[in-house]
Amino acid sequence: MNGRPPTTTPERHLYCFPHSGGLPDEYVRWGQHLSGTQVYGVCMPGRGGRIAEPPLTDLNTVVHALLAETRFVAPYDLFGHSLGALVAYETTRELAARGLPLPERLVVSAFPAPTCHATGPGCPACRTRS
C-alpha cells in the first residue's frame, strides 16, 4: 500500500486499485485534491516497489493476499479502474463473506458489470441494440 503521510487526521480513507499495468502513485496524487481524505494506492506483487516479488496470476489469490496484508481503516471507500475494478469488487465480496466491515462506497470504472461476466457475451444487459 502506498500513501502520503497525512498532515491531519483524515475524515476518510480511499483505497485505489490500478489497472493491470498501472502503479499506485497515479492515485496517491489525488490526495492533494481530496480534502480530508487519505488516499492509498494498492501495489500488487510484481509492480512498482514490489517488482522483485513474483506477480500473482489468479484473482482469488490476489484477493486473499490483499486481505491478509491489508487492514482497511474506516470509514473507507474502494476505487478500482479496469482490472483494478474487478479486484476491488471481488475484495468487497470477500470482505462481506468474512463478515468484515465493508467500504461505504465501491466505485469502479472501465469494467463491465459483474452480471456480464457471469453470463458471458450473451448477457442481455450488455447487448447493443441495432
Side-chain angles (χ1 to χ4, degrees):
M1 211 57 73
N2 292 0
R4 294 182 182 186
T7 55
T8 61
T9 302
E11 296 169 24
R12 67 183 322 94
H13 303 268
L14 174 62
Y15 298 87
C16 299
F17 297 75
H19 57 89
S20 61
L23 295 173
D25 294 344
E26 57 193 279
Y27 299 105
V28 172
R29 288 188 295 258
W30 289 2
Q32 299 169 29
H33 308 287
L34 297 172
S35 178
T37 301
Q38 174 66 39
V39 179
Y40 301 94
V42 176
C43 187
M44 294 295 178
R47 298 272 181 232
R50 300 180 71 180
I51 194 73
E53 299 175 44
L56 301 176
T57 57
D58 174 77
L59 184 58
N60 287 329
T61 303
V62 168
V63 170
H64 287 94
L66 179 70
L67 292 179
E69 298 173 10
T70 308
R71 184 178 79 77
F72 296 108
V73 179
Y76 74 98
D77 304 315
L78 301 182
F79 168 77
H81 178 70
S82 192
L83 181 62
L86 180 60
V87 176
Y89 172 78
E90 291 297 335
T91 298
T92 302
R93 286 179 41 141
E94 186 61 25
L95 287 165
R98 294 181 185 192
L100 296 171
L102 297 174
E104 290 186 3
R105 293 172 196 87
L106 170 62
V107 181
V108 296
S109 67
F111 203 83
T115 54
C116 295
H117 293 284
T119 58
C123 173
C126 297
R127 287 191 191 131
T128 305
R129 296 181 186 220
S130 13

